[in-house]
Short mmCIF file of all heavy atoms in Angstrom, two decimals:
data_model
loop_
_atom_site.label_atom_id
_atom_site.label_comp_id
_atom_site.label_asym_id
_atom_site.label_seq_id
_atom_site.Cartn_x
_atom_site.Cartn_y
_atom_site.Cartn_z
N ARG A 75 -0.34 -8.98 -9.73
CA ARG A 75 0.73 -9.42 -10.61
C ARG A 75 1.35 -10.72 -10.14
O ARG A 75 1.66 -11.62 -10.93
CB ARG A 75 1.81 -8.33 -10.71
CG ARG A 75 1.40 -7.11 -11.52
CD ARG A 75 2.61 -6.26 -11.88
NE ARG A 75 3.27 -5.74 -10.70
CZ ARG A 75 2.97 -4.58 -10.12
NH1 ARG A 75 2.00 -3.83 -10.62
NH2 ARG A 75 3.63 -4.17 -9.06
N GLN A 76 1.53 -10.87 -8.83
CA GLN A 76 2.10 -12.10 -8.29
C GLN A 76 1.17 -13.28 -8.55
O GLN A 76 1.61 -14.38 -8.91
CB GLN A 76 2.34 -11.94 -6.80
CG GLN A 76 3.44 -10.95 -6.44
CD GLN A 76 3.48 -10.64 -4.96
OE1 GLN A 76 3.17 -11.49 -4.15
NE2 GLN A 76 3.83 -9.42 -4.62
N LEU A 77 -0.15 -13.05 -8.38
CA LEU A 77 -1.11 -14.12 -8.63
C LEU A 77 -1.10 -14.52 -10.09
O LEU A 77 -1.14 -15.71 -10.44
CB LEU A 77 -2.50 -13.66 -8.21
CG LEU A 77 -3.65 -14.68 -8.41
CD1 LEU A 77 -3.38 -15.94 -7.61
CD2 LEU A 77 -4.97 -14.06 -8.02
N GLN A 78 -1.05 -13.52 -10.97
CA GLN A 78 -1.01 -13.80 -12.39
C GLN A 78 0.25 -14.57 -12.77
O GLN A 78 0.21 -15.52 -13.55
CB GLN A 78 -1.08 -12.49 -13.17
CG GLN A 78 -1.05 -12.67 -14.68
CD GLN A 78 -1.17 -11.34 -15.39
OE1 GLN A 78 -2.10 -10.58 -15.14
NE2 GLN A 78 -0.24 -11.06 -16.28
N GLY A 79 1.38 -14.15 -12.19
CA GLY A 79 2.62 -14.87 -12.47
C GLY A 79 2.58 -16.30 -11.96
O GLY A 79 3.04 -17.23 -12.63
N ALA A 80 2.03 -16.48 -10.75
CA ALA A 80 1.93 -17.83 -10.19
C ALA A 80 1.01 -18.69 -11.05
O ALA A 80 1.30 -19.88 -11.28
CB ALA A 80 1.40 -17.76 -8.76
N ARG A 81 -0.09 -18.10 -11.55
CA ARG A 81 -1.00 -18.85 -12.40
C ARG A 81 -0.30 -19.28 -13.69
O ARG A 81 -0.45 -20.42 -14.14
CB ARG A 81 -2.22 -17.98 -12.73
CG ARG A 81 -3.28 -18.71 -13.51
CD ARG A 81 -4.40 -17.77 -13.94
NE ARG A 81 -5.13 -17.24 -12.80
CZ ARG A 81 -5.17 -15.96 -12.48
NH1 ARG A 81 -4.50 -15.08 -13.20
NH2 ARG A 81 -5.84 -15.55 -11.44
N GLY A 82 0.46 -18.36 -14.27
CA GLY A 82 1.18 -18.70 -15.48
C GLY A 82 2.21 -19.81 -15.25
O GLY A 82 2.35 -20.71 -16.07
N ARG A 83 2.94 -19.73 -14.12
CA ARG A 83 3.94 -20.77 -13.83
C ARG A 83 3.27 -22.12 -13.59
O ARG A 83 3.77 -23.16 -14.01
CB ARG A 83 4.78 -20.35 -12.61
CG ARG A 83 5.72 -19.18 -12.87
CD ARG A 83 6.70 -18.98 -11.72
NE ARG A 83 6.02 -18.62 -10.49
CZ ARG A 83 5.71 -17.37 -10.16
NH1 ARG A 83 6.00 -16.37 -10.99
NH2 ARG A 83 5.11 -17.10 -9.01
N PHE A 84 2.13 -22.09 -12.89
CA PHE A 84 1.41 -23.33 -12.63
C PHE A 84 0.92 -23.95 -13.93
O PHE A 84 1.06 -25.16 -14.16
CB PHE A 84 0.22 -23.06 -11.69
CG PHE A 84 -0.66 -24.24 -11.47
CD1 PHE A 84 -0.27 -25.28 -10.63
CD2 PHE A 84 -1.89 -24.34 -12.10
CE1 PHE A 84 -1.08 -26.37 -10.43
CE2 PHE A 84 -2.71 -25.43 -11.91
CZ PHE A 84 -2.30 -26.46 -11.07
N LEU A 85 0.34 -23.12 -14.80
CA LEU A 85 -0.16 -23.62 -16.07
C LEU A 85 0.98 -24.21 -16.89
O LEU A 85 0.84 -25.28 -17.50
CB LEU A 85 -0.82 -22.48 -16.85
CG LEU A 85 -1.32 -22.81 -18.25
CD1 LEU A 85 -2.35 -23.93 -18.21
CD2 LEU A 85 -1.91 -21.57 -18.92
N THR A 86 2.11 -23.54 -16.91
CA THR A 86 3.26 -24.05 -17.66
C THR A 86 3.73 -25.39 -17.11
O THR A 86 4.04 -26.32 -17.86
CB THR A 86 4.41 -23.03 -17.62
OG1 THR A 86 3.97 -21.80 -18.22
CG2 THR A 86 5.62 -23.55 -18.39
N ALA A 87 3.77 -25.51 -15.78
CA ALA A 87 4.19 -26.77 -15.16
C ALA A 87 3.23 -27.90 -15.50
O ALA A 87 3.65 -29.02 -15.79
CB ALA A 87 4.30 -26.59 -13.64
N VAL A 88 1.93 -27.59 -15.47
CA VAL A 88 0.93 -28.61 -15.82
C VAL A 88 1.10 -29.07 -17.25
O VAL A 88 1.08 -30.26 -17.56
CB VAL A 88 -0.49 -28.06 -15.58
CG1 VAL A 88 -1.54 -29.00 -16.16
CG2 VAL A 88 -0.75 -27.89 -14.09
N MET A 89 1.26 -28.10 -18.16
CA MET A 89 1.38 -28.45 -19.57
C MET A 89 2.65 -29.22 -19.85
O MET A 89 2.67 -30.16 -20.64
CB MET A 89 1.32 -27.18 -20.43
CG MET A 89 0.01 -26.40 -20.31
SD MET A 89 -1.47 -27.42 -20.49
CE MET A 89 -1.20 -28.14 -22.10
N ASP A 90 3.74 -28.84 -19.19
CA ASP A 90 5.00 -29.57 -19.37
C ASP A 90 4.86 -31.01 -18.91
O ASP A 90 5.35 -31.94 -19.55
CB ASP A 90 6.14 -28.87 -18.62
CG ASP A 90 6.57 -27.57 -19.30
OD1 ASP A 90 6.21 -27.38 -20.47
OD2 ASP A 90 7.24 -26.77 -18.64
N ALA A 91 4.20 -31.20 -17.77
CA ALA A 91 4.00 -32.56 -17.26
C ALA A 91 3.10 -33.36 -18.20
O ALA A 91 3.33 -34.55 -18.43
CB ALA A 91 3.39 -32.50 -15.86
N ALA A 92 2.07 -32.70 -18.73
CA ALA A 92 1.17 -33.40 -19.65
C ALA A 92 1.88 -33.79 -20.93
O ALA A 92 1.69 -34.90 -21.45
CB ALA A 92 -0.03 -32.51 -19.96
N VAL A 93 2.72 -32.90 -21.44
CA VAL A 93 3.48 -33.22 -22.65
C VAL A 93 4.38 -34.41 -22.41
O VAL A 93 4.46 -35.34 -23.23
CB VAL A 93 4.31 -31.99 -23.10
CG1 VAL A 93 5.29 -32.40 -24.18
CG2 VAL A 93 3.39 -30.90 -23.61
N ALA A 94 5.05 -34.42 -21.26
CA ALA A 94 5.94 -35.54 -20.95
C ALA A 94 5.18 -36.85 -20.86
O ALA A 94 5.68 -37.91 -21.25
CB ALA A 94 6.66 -35.26 -19.62
N ALA A 95 3.93 -36.79 -20.36
CA ALA A 95 3.15 -38.02 -20.19
C ALA A 95 2.55 -38.51 -21.50
O ALA A 95 2.34 -39.71 -21.68
CB ALA A 95 2.04 -37.78 -19.16
#
Side-chain angles (χ1 to χ4, degrees):
R75 288 195 297 271
Q76 292 170 32
L77 180 60
Q78 180 178 307
R81 185 186 295 116
R83 290 190 296 273
F84 174 76
L85 176 59
T86 300
V88 170
M89 299 311 303
D90 288 344
V93 169

